[in-house]
Amino acid sequence: MTWDALQTRREFLTAAAVAGFVVARRTPPHAETAAERHVPWTMYIGTYTKTGKSKGIYRVSVDPVTLQFGTLELASETPDPSFLAITPDGRALVAVNELVEFGGQASGSVTVFARNAASGALTVLSPSRASRGAAPCYVSIDRTGRQVMVANYVGGNVAVLPLATSGALGEAGTVLARTGKGPHPVRQVAPHAHCILPDPGNRFVLMSDLGTDKIHVARLDAATGALTPADVPEVSLRPGSGPRHLAFSPDGQTLYVVTELDSTIVAFAYNRATGGLTERQRISTRPAGATIENFPADLHVHPTGRTVYASNRGDDTIAVFAVDATSKALSLVQSVPTGGSGPRNFTLTPDGTGLLVANQRSDSILAFQVDAVTGQLAATGQVLDAPVPVCLTFA
């Protein structure tokens, strides 16, 4: 079944009418926000099904003004969909299935779903494909929407799979494996790829390896999905730091890295022409005096570029950093309790006015308002019970 086959005649006619309206008003004096239209957003929730609490990917509506949650609904049954990504055109959702065996090999899998724009329902588009490494934990899509990129944690490698315009997912054409280890006696005995991300220009792909304390950089051929080493193909972080997630500033000039094993954010100046990285700052994700065991998980930059957020598992907080307008230096301005245990993942609302946190261990999602000037967070009191939430993404 293709995306086009899933689009109803009514949806087609509505889209055509809207397109005609947009052509007639190419430069509207004011583009309404979702909040002004009061149209609820659709949020998808990736989970772990191995616990028996969850069945797959869930969806829920979120009010753009109050951040109140609608009714939680199962969008599609699929095993251990631990990370999700939406295609650039919004027509499909891609999930990694964090398995250690698939198709008789030591591999997880990748599944593509068509999205019904009206209802938010998901329908499998094509057979799941092997991720070519065990326990895939991250998925991203290049800016053209043609290449799906996967980081395999246990496999220690990354893979690129072609995505056709019909929504059919092909077998991995590029697989990059690494060697090495780090000083941590348990977490760094082998490579552990944890994030793979195209840069804003879609010219380079950056990959974090928690097991070897490295960031790898490769040139991307967007037509074929081929990855070739950049001029400087890797950058080493502090031994034992464990780089986990990556995020770019909106202007593409800074790459932020959150490290899981030593609770820091590292900021790099990024050269968009060469893919080069120059370390600029390293700062703790925790306030002075924090002593309990802590493992940061997720990282996001506000669309304004003025605020950076990171989740702390252990402290169970969202760390809020202000970005200096001149020096670009980070300063910790807030450590906000997440109201639950194990904040694995969080996301900003499409307009940047809210932040939602998935507390994996306490089966809850909480909503926070984002201050328009400071970027700081305030609890809304909105709470959603959700089984083992590990990834949140808006359509």
Side-chain angles (χ1 to χ4, degrees):
M1 184 177 292
T2 67
W3 287 326
D4 294 333
L6 289 166
Q7 187 179 40
T8 67
R9 181 175 183 273
R10 178 178 296 177
E11 289 169 332
F12 174 80
L13 292 173
T14 301
V18 171
F21 177 77
V22 171
V23 169
R25 296 187 61 194
R26 292 185 180 179
T27 55
H30 172 70
E32 285 188 314
T33 66
E36 289 168 330
R37 297 193 308 272
H38 215 93
V39 177
W41 292 307
T42 297
M43 185 175 74
Y44 293 97
I45 305 164
T47 68
Y48 281 128
T49 60
K50 66 186 70 174
T51 65
K53 297 179 181 179
S54 167
K55 293 184 178 181
I57 301 170
Y58 292 80
R59 68 177 183 268
V60 68
S61 64
V62 179
D63 186 280
V65 177
T66 65
L67 301 183
Q68 183 175 358
F69 297 103
T71 302
L72 185 70
E73 298 178 312
L74 181 64
S76 184
E77 290 195 36
T78 191
D80 289 335
S82 66
F83 210 88
L84 315 174
I86 303 288
T87 56
D89 62 9
R91 299 168 73 187
L93 179 146
V94 181
V96 291
N97 302 104
E98 195 172 324
L99 309 172
V100 295
E101 191 277 330
F102 177 78
Q105 58 182 306
S107 175
S109 61
V110 186
T111 308
V112 179
F113 302 85
R115 288 189 58 251
N116 183 301
S119 68
L122 301 178
T123 305
V124 176
L125 274 170
S126 64
S128 299
R129 301 294 186 182
S131 66
R132 298 291 296 277
C137 60
Y138 195 96
V139 61
S140 62
I141 303 166
D142 87 308
R143 311 297 175 180
T144 70
R146 293 186 291 181
Q147 307 298 337
V148 173
M149 307 173 183
V150 181
N152 294 298
Y153 182 82
V154 172
N157 61 5
V158 299
V160 183
L161 298 83
L163 182 63
T165 56
S166 65
L169 185 66
E171 297 287 355
T174 298
V175 180
L176 294 182
R178 308 294 182 184
T179 58
K181 61 182 182 178
H184 195 288
V186 177
R187 300 294 304 280
Q188 294 187 311
V189 296
H192 292 302
H194 219 309
C195 183
I196 179 168
L197 196 68
D199 78 345
N202 214 49
R203 298 180 59 188
F204 296 92
V205 170
L206 293 94
M207 300 152 278
S208 62
D209 194 313
L210 185 148
T212 63
D213 297 317
K214 294 184 184 296
I215 305 296
H216 299 281
V217 186
R219 293 183 182 274
L220 169 67
D221 185 326
T224 66
L227 299 178
T228 56
D231 294 343
V232 179
E234 65 181 38
V235 174
S236 295
L237 280 74
R238 184 166 60 187
S241 57
R244 182 180 169 99
H245 276 196
L246 313 173
F248 278 99
S249 61
D251 63 9
Q253 296 181 17
T254 304
L255 177 76
Y256 298 102
V257 183
V258 67
T259 61
E260 182 174 347
L261 302 182
D262 70 353
S263 297
T264 62
I265 288 182
V266 185
F268 290 90
Y270 181 66
N271 187 320
R272 297 184 65 166
T274 66
L277 294 168
T278 303
E279 186 173 327
R280 191 167 61 205
Q281 183 186 13
R282 183 187 301 120
I283 184 171
S284 176
T285 62
R286 317 176 73 186
T291 57
I292 65 173
E293 193 173 42
N294 187 67
F295 302 99
D298 201 12
L299 175 70
H300 291 281
V301 183
H302 194 271
T304 63
R306 298 194 297 261
T307 314
V308 175
Y309 306 91
S311 61
N312 284 305
R313 295 173 297 177
D315 291 349
D316 292 337
T317 61
I318 296 294
V320 182
F321 297 87
V323 181
D324 186 87
T326 303
S327 68
K328 305 302 181 185
L330 299 176
S331 57
L332 181 65
V333 296
Q334 202 180 21
S335 294
V336 182
T338 64
S341 176
R344 169 69 170 267
N345 182 249
F346 65 95
T347 188
L348 289 156
T349 59
D351 63 359
T353 62
L355 184 147
L356 294 94
V357 183
N359 291 305
Q360 177 185 347
R361 295 185 187 135
S362 55
D363 300 325
S364 65
I365 299 172
L366 273 73
F368 296 83
Q369 290 284 355
V370 176
D371 187 278
V373 177
T374 67
Q376 295 189 32
L377 305 180
T380 64
Q382 304 292 349
V383 181
L384 176 71
D385 294 330
V388 204
V390 294
C391 184
L392 308 177
T393 188
F394 280 98

